[in-house]
Structure formats: C-alpha cells, structure tokens
C-alpha cells in the first residue's frame, strides 16, 4: 500500500518529509528533475543535475547523495556496458545494476514512487525490461539474469509509473503527467493517453479554470 502526504509545497521551502520526501515537493521535483538525455549529455551528468535539484531543499541530503552515487557508478560507461553487466568496464561495471536494484527497493519501501520513476526514466529501465521480455526464449536471453533481480519485475515497475501518474493527476500536474506518458515507450503506460478522454476544464480542487497556453 502506497501512503503519501497530501501536502505539496511545490517550490523550494522548509518542510519535514513525512513518508516520501519528493511528495512533499511533488511539483518542484516533477518540474526540475531531468529524466531524458539531450544532445551529448551523459546519464552520469543527468544524475548530477538531479542531485543538485535535491540538494536545494533542506532535509533531502539522502536523495542528493543517491543521485551522486549513481553518477559515480555510471561515469565512463557506454550503452553496451550499461545494458550488459558481463561487459567489463572497470570495477564499477559489476556494481551498476545491483546498486540500482538496492536503491529502487529502498525508495519503493518508503513509498517514494517519484524517485523510482525518475531513476527508471534516466536508465530506460522499462524499455530494457520490455526488450528482454520480447527476447525471452532466445539463446542470447536464456542465460541472462533478471535486470533488477527477482524482487522487482516488469509489473512492479509499471505499477510505480501508474501510481505516480495518478498522484500527478490528483495534484493537478496534468502537463507533467502527460509528458511522462508520452515519453514512455511501455505499451501499458503509453496506452493511458489513448484510453483517457477526460478534458480538464478546471482544477478539481479549487475550481479555477485551466487556461490554454499560447494562441491555440
């Protein structure tokens, strides 16, 4: 059962995290986290950027350090060595996926689906898990262990996404929810755009009209 606070400061400010720290500042993290690489930006650079975002808030040192740790493990890794743990890319090569599995398990246990989804987006975890599932039965895939071990499967990761998107919607962060759905290549998550026909004309909490941006 995922429990979360209904308090959302939205901007940088003081506050004591109750269960999941990002949910106290849900809007702030949703709008400032970088989850997709642009240009020549490396995954390690993206993690360092997210560490800086978390560091701006008092009481979020553990989240900032988590991103820093992930950046260290990712430094110097190319896509082939990230996707295949058997590729020797230095001492950190064998720590990457066990480290990611551990931090995802810890944040999931804390009910922190926002961090879980952010890490999954940075690492393209859903795409990798779907690719492995599609290759199930092939000779190449038969000897490969689960990407995140036996404890975290594809269904669990999808539940993180669906829970996070639902929370974004409840907090009226429709732009952020839609962007996440559109950027996700998973068929279950991306289907939310096709299945939903709801048009939000006003905020469900305060009743304020939602004004369209631009001239359209």
């Amino acid at each position: 059962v995922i429990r979360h606070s209904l308090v959302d400061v939205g901007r940088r400010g003081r506050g004591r995290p109750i269960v999941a720290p990002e949910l106290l500042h849900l809007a702030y993290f949703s709008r400032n986290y970088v989850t997709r690489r642009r240009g020549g930006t490396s995954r390690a650079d993206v993690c360092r950027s997210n560490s800086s975002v978390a560091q701006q808030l008092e009481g979020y040192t553990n989240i900032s350090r988590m991103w820093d740790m992930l950046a260290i493990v990712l430094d110097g890794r190319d896509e082939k060595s990230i996707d295949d743990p058997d590729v020797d890319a230095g001492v950190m090569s064998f720590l990457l996926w066990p480290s990611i599995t551990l931090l995802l398990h810890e944040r999931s246990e804390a009910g922190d689906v926002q961090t879980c989804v952010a890490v999954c987006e940075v690492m393209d975890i859903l795409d990798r898990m779907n690719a492995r599932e599609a290759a199930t039965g092939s000779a190449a895939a038969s000897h490969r262990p689960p990407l995140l071990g036996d404890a975290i499967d594809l269904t669990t990761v999808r539940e993180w996404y669906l829970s996070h998107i639902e929370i974004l919607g409840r907090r009226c962060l429709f732009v952020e929810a839609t962007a996440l759905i559109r950027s996700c290549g998973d068929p279950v998550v991306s289907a939310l755009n096709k299945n939903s026909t709801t048009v939000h004309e006003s905020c469900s909490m305060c009743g304020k009209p939602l004004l369209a941006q631009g001239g359209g």
Side-chain angles (χ1 to χ4, degrees), residues 83-215:
D83 192 51
D84 189 350
D86 293 332
V87 175
D88 187 4
V91 67
M92 293 299 181
S93 177
F94 305 102
L95 297 178
L96 178 59
W97 289 110
S99 298
I100 292 174
T101 301
L102 178 61
L103 70 85
L104 285 174
H105 180 74
E106 289 178 348
R107 299 321 308 162
S108 176
E109 286 292 301
D112 183 3
V113 291
Q114 186 169 45
T115 296
C116 290
V117 170
V119 171
C120 288
E121 284 289 281
V122 170
M123 297 304 303
D124 294 324
I125 285 178
L126 266 182
D127 289 344
R128 297 179 194 277
M129 295 182 93
N130 277 313
R132 288 192 172 210
E133 186 169 276
T136 299
S138 68
S142 60
H143 72 282
R144 301 178 74 180
L147 190 65
L148 299 175
D150 296 322
I152 304 177
D153 58 12
L154 180 58
T155 300
T156 300
V157 176
R158 282 173 174 163
E159 287 177 354
W160 292 339
Y161 274 76
L162 297 177
S163 296
H164 184 47
I165 290 167
E166 180 181 0
I167 294 170
L168 289 173
R170 288 180 180 272
R171 302 308 301 161
C172 299
L173 297 170
F174 305 120
V175 172
E176 289 75 11
T178 301
L180 177 59
I181 294 170
R182 287 178 175 173
S183 69
C184 184
D186 180 75
V188 173
V189 177
S190 61
L192 291 176
N193 259 353
K194 300 175 183 177
N195 295 338
S196 177
T197 56
T198 302
V199 177
H200 298 280
E201 296 180 347
S202 62
C203 175
S204 60
M205 297 186 66
C206 67
K208 183 178 179 180
L210 300 176
L211 301 178
Q213 296 181 350

